[in-house]
Amino acid sequence: LNFSNMESRASEIAIFRAIGATRISVFFQIMGENFFLVLIGAILGVLLVLPMSYGVQSLVLGGSLNEKMSLIASLDMSVIWCQVLPLAILFSLLSGGLPAYLITRKNIAEVLKGGNE
């Protein structure tokens, strides 16, 4: 999805490059946007996991578990900091890095005139 998004933004990126932006600055701008989206998604996922698990527990089990038991006992912050956040960064690099690199390597003139698809 990110690759097709970058392809649709190719003319925008070519215009940035034509007015003087370097490949590196365009690459880091794209990576910053992608990292921000991945980070927001990871934060929303962490914030929604407990309410959703309690909702599923009440729907599926109908409160048959006693009050001291639940599907998810608590949210361990060390797991979030040591596993979820690094995975989010890795996915951001993989899903955004390669398309951003490939799109910044394209010839500006070819992109602006429509390319040779």
Side-chain angles (χ1 to χ4, degrees):
L1 288 175
N2 274 342
F3 188 73
S4 64
N5 184 27
M6 287 299 119
E7 286 292 327
S8 68
R9 292 180 60 191
S11 62
E12 173 190 344
I13 293 166
I15 291 172
F16 283 151
R17 298 256 339 272
I19 60 174
T22 63
R23 287 182 178 166
I24 302 246
S25 66
V26 171
F27 175 79
F28 281 119
Q29 178 188 1
I30 294 169
M31 287 303 297
E33 292 172 6
N34 193 36
F35 180 72
F36 180 72
L37 291 174
V38 168
L39 189 63
I40 293 297
I43 289 170
L44 284 176
V46 167
L47 291 177
L48 292 176
V49 79
L50 280 178
M52 291 301 289
S53 69
Y54 291 137
V56 168
Q57 177 177 321
S58 67
L59 284 175
V60 173
L61 301 175
S64 64
L65 294 176
N66 62 19
E67 293 175 8
K68 294 182 181 180
M69 295 175 61
S70 68
L71 292 177
I72 297 179
S74 66
L75 194 58
D76 188 5
M77 291 305 285
S78 67
V79 169
I80 292 171
W81 289 113
C82 296
Q83 293 178 1
V84 173
L85 193 59
L87 280 175
I89 293 169
L90 176 68
F91 289 147
S92 175
L93 290 173
L94 290 176
S95 68
L98 183 61
Y101 174 76
L102 292 175
I103 205 73
T104 57
R105 301 291 301 169
K106 285 191 171 191
N107 187 348
I108 300 169
E110 289 294 322
V111 172
L112 289 177
K113 73 177 184 178
N116 52 359
E117 314 259 335

